[in-house]
Structure formats: C-alpha cells, structure tokens
Amino acid sequence: MASPDWLNKGDNAWQLTSATLVGLQSVPGLVILYGSIVKKKWAVNSAFMAFYAFSAVLICWVTWAYKMSFGEQLLPFLGKPGPSLDQKFLINQATLPATTQYYHNGTVETAGIAPNYPMGSLVIYQFVFAAITLVLLAGSLLGRMNFKAWMVFVPLWLTFSYTIGAFSIWGGGFLFHWGVMDYAGGYVIHLSSGVAGLTAAYWVGPRLKKDRESFPPNNVLMTLTGAGLLWMGWAGFNGGAPYASNVLSSMAILNTNICATTSILIWTCLDVIFFKKPSVIGAVQGMITGLVCITPGAGLVQGWAAIVMGVLSGSIPWFTMMVVHKRCSLLQKIDDTLGVFHTHAVAGILGGVLTGLFAEPELSALFLPVTNSRGAIYGGSGGMQLVKQLAGAGFIVVLNVIVTTIICLLIRLVIPLIMPEEQLLVGDDAAHGEEAYALWGDGETYDESKHGWYSDDTTHHRKGANTGVIGQLNV
C-alpha cells in the first residue's frame, strides 16, 4: 500500500524538502562558494573537491555507512555496517533501532525514534548531512591537496570517523543515551569537520608561499550567492532535525535566522572598528559562525538566547581568527585555507556549550531522550549538562585528531597528499586540464602569442608588427 496507516504525508513531505534544502547547501551552494572565494587558478579544483565529495558519500552511505551511523548497535559507538538499498527496508516505517532509552532498572524511559515516514526519507536526509561534513572539511585543504588523495580520503573518513560520531550522539550510542545535546550537528558535523580539517591540513602541508600571501577571491558576488544558498538551506538543516513537521521545526528555523543575522552584524561591526572597513568576506564568515553556533541548540533554546549566541558567535570566532591565529605559532604553521577550524570547530564547541547553558526544559523534553534535561541556567540537573556538553566535544575532538591522522598517514604511503610542484604553480589547468574562466576567442584559455599583451585593467592591447599597438579590445 502506497499510503500505510503510519505514514504522515506532511512529515514525509517536509523531510524530503529538508533533505533537498540541505543538499542544495552543498550542490550548488558550497560548490559555488568554494569556486569563487579562492584565487582564480584554484576555482575549478576547489569546486570539484566539493562536487566529488557529495557524489562519493552517497554511494558509501547506501552501501554500508548509513547503518553504521543509525542501525543496530555493534559497539557503544558504532552500528553494524550493511546496505540500505533493498525496497523492503526503504519503504517500511523509519526507525532508529538503538535509540530506546531505558532507566537504570530496565524500564523504558523514552521510546525509540520512529518517524512517521519511510526509511528511504531518513536515509536521504541523513546522507546530505554526512555529505556536507566532508564538503566543509575540504575547505581546509583547498589550493594544494592531491585530488587523487582526496578521492581516497573521502570514503575512509566517512567510514571511520563520521559514522562513529553520528552513531555515538544521534544513532543510539553512548553519548546519545547519556544525554549529550546536539540538536542538528554542532558536534557531529561542524566540530568534526573543523578539527578533522585542521588535522588533515597539517599532514597535507601548506600551499605555495605566494598563494598563502595572496589569495584573493576571484568573484565576491558569486561568493555571496553560494553563501546565500548555504544560509537559506539551513532551514532544512535545523528545521528537519526533529524528524517531523512540528513546533520544534518552527522554533528552530526562527532561532537559526536570529542567531545568523546577529552574528553577521557583530562580525561586521568588529571589522569596522578594528580594520576601518566592512568586509563582505568577513560578513560571510560571521554568517557561517552564527549558523554553526545555533545548530546544536536551534530547537532547544528561546529566542533571546539565540540573540546572545549570535553576539558570541560573531565575536569569539572573530577573535580566534583575527587575533589568536596570528599569535599562535602552531596555527600559523598549519595552512587551514578557509579558516574552517575557526568557523566550524570553534563555533561548534561554542554552540554546544551555550546549548548546555540555555537549553529550555520544556523544549528539551520535546526532543531529548533523557527526561528532565535542561540548561545550567534553569537549575536542577543543568550543571551536569554542561559537563556532558564538554565531554561530548572532547570525544569528537580526540576521535577526529586520531582517525584523521591515521587516514592521512596511510594514504600518503600510496599517494602523495599534496600536488606536485608543477601543479601547485599552475593550478587548475595543470591539475584538471580545465580553467574556470575561458574568455578569449571561441572559449580557449588565454595565450599571449595569440591574444597579445594582457593586464588586469579594462583595456587589452595587441602588439603590431610596425606600430607596437594595432588596436584596443574593451571587455
């Protein structure tokens, strides 16, 4: 029967819509953002790293990784691997078999998670979360990682890092049952990608010195376009996390936008105060830190708390990026291309801790498996919640440092992690045989012998045999 009794068409429609919105954050959102925020010679490579990761994750996800993240428990931190491709599995009601919460005496405290839509909707929704984690991680490695090494890194990291974090906190693992709060991925996605990105950047090595010293965006307007897709797609990110179209969805989407806009304004004001100019790229960074910070508590905190979180997400990551990073010799040695550590790891921990402070008891009861959960400001068990939040963050940090290091060391035994020198010097054309902007003739790349002398102003001169200049082409 196409519409069984357990199916709620509204919930199913919203879950599929949320999955699509989160998917759009990666493709085309981060594909566009990465391709435009980097130096022109790395536009294709950067966009392609995101495009590839999104594609590769899906095949791994439905073949073995989904059940490792949300299936039956194998270990307290990992589910049993297996395929998610059979129609009998995909058309039945969605369930997360390891999520039933028990009291110490063995009686049921909170029933297991069983959304009112098919398993197929849950598989695709959780896929786009897994995919964007790898796409975000790529932001630390742009402008030098060997693409062949990236092709191997993606499935290995998904299998041995992401699945452990997802099962432990969301899928019914030990942190889930302890009551660690991570509403929509502040730890599972953002802290993971930020820490793993920084770790991988250490092992891959830095960009060329001239690329590190001068790395201007090749298209600021398209950077804003990609950022806008990321921002609007966050409605599916946080709005779909309750696995239903319910009151928490509404609360989460409103809080998401409140925190993001507050963070943008704070970051921009700090740029004006200390650098005398409002930076568009800075505003994008502030947008991202606001979205990341609210994610672990989007449906668990009140609107006033979302404003406070926005103020802190617009200032603390700004301080770590603009001040601490420049004074820390270790961070200076590690080439984190887009500052993913600051925008995702720092903002992710900040959001997790603030959620442990501000989580409202009534909202928490609507979402969390452990009854009487609450933030520290509400008294009772709230103080212990802060301990849980810090411990959960510590687990994710240690997991990703260790696993990412092992993966990078294993890959480099077979494939160099960094591109050859000639590819680093040339960029996209050497790495892929393609360039982002082919503006000459019938689309061929610029060639001085055919197109004449060129400079980055609006007038391009062609040398003539007798006069030296035979004409001007205005573009």
Side-chain angles (χ1 to χ4, degrees), residues 47 50 128 130-131 213 239-240 322 349 372 389 431 438 468 470:
V128 290
E213 292 173 347
M322 301 300 176
I349 288 180
N372 299 317
Q389 297 303 102
I470 61 172

Side-chain angles (χ1 to χ4, degrees), residues 25-232:
Q25 290 183 292
S26 294
V27 180
L30 286 167
V31 170
I32 293 173
L33 192 152
Y34 286 180
S36 53
I37 201 172
V38 298
K39 200 171 186 176
K40 184 174 68 174
K41 75 173 188 176
W42 292 117
V44 170
N45 181 262
S46 301
F48 195 16
M49 285 184 71
F51 199 75
Y52 167 80
F54 191 84
S55 305
V57 167
L58 178 56
I59 299 304
C60 301
W61 193 246
V62 297
T63 306
W64 66 80
Y66 171 77
K67 289 187 177 179
M68 292 177 71
S69 304
F70 297 97
E72 296 179 3
Q73 179 175 307
L74 176 65
L75 298 168
F77 52 84
L78 192 65
K80 297 178 182 178
S84 304
L85 293 166
D86 186 81
Q87 69 179 56
K88 292 181 180 179
F89 174 77
L90 295 173
I91 67 174
N92 285 329
Q93 183 176 5
T95 59
L96 277 68
T99 57
T100 303
Q101 177 73 15
Y102 296 95
Y103 288 111
H104 291 298
N105 63 9
T107 60
V108 174
E109 179 178 3
T110 307
I113 297 172
N116 295 317
Y117 49 72
M119 188 66 81
S121 298
L122 188 57
V123 171
I124 190 67
Y125 180 72
Q126 290 297 347
F127 149 66
V128 290
F129 274 64
I132 200 171
T133 309
L134 268 300
V135 174
L136 293 171
L137 192 162
S140 295
L141 308 171
L142 303 181
R144 85 281 198 176
M145 187 173 188
N146 187 334
F147 198 88
K148 294 176 183 177
W150 177 242
M151 292 174 70
V152 178
F153 180 91
V154 169
L156 288 177
W157 191 87
L158 172 74
T159 302
F160 296 106
S161 180
Y162 183 83
T163 58
I164 293 174
F167 186 82
S168 297
I169 295 178
W170 285 344
F174 73 107
L175 294 175
F176 174 91
H177 289 295
W178 193 34
V180 172
M181 296 180 178
D182 188 8
Y183 176 84
Y187 286 175
V188 176
I189 296 171
H190 301 293
L191 180 56
S192 291
S193 60
V195 173
L198 188 74
T199 305
Y202 172 82
W203 291 109
V204 171
R207 289 165 289 170
L208 291 178
K209 184 179 179 181
K210 67 177 184 179
D211 279 353
R212 292 193 73 179
E213 292 173 347
S214 177
F215 207 71
N218 68 80
N219 194 323
V220 174
L221 294 180
M222 289 304 293
T223 299
L224 281 175
T225 301
L229 286 166
L230 188 67
W231 184 354
M232 293 301 101

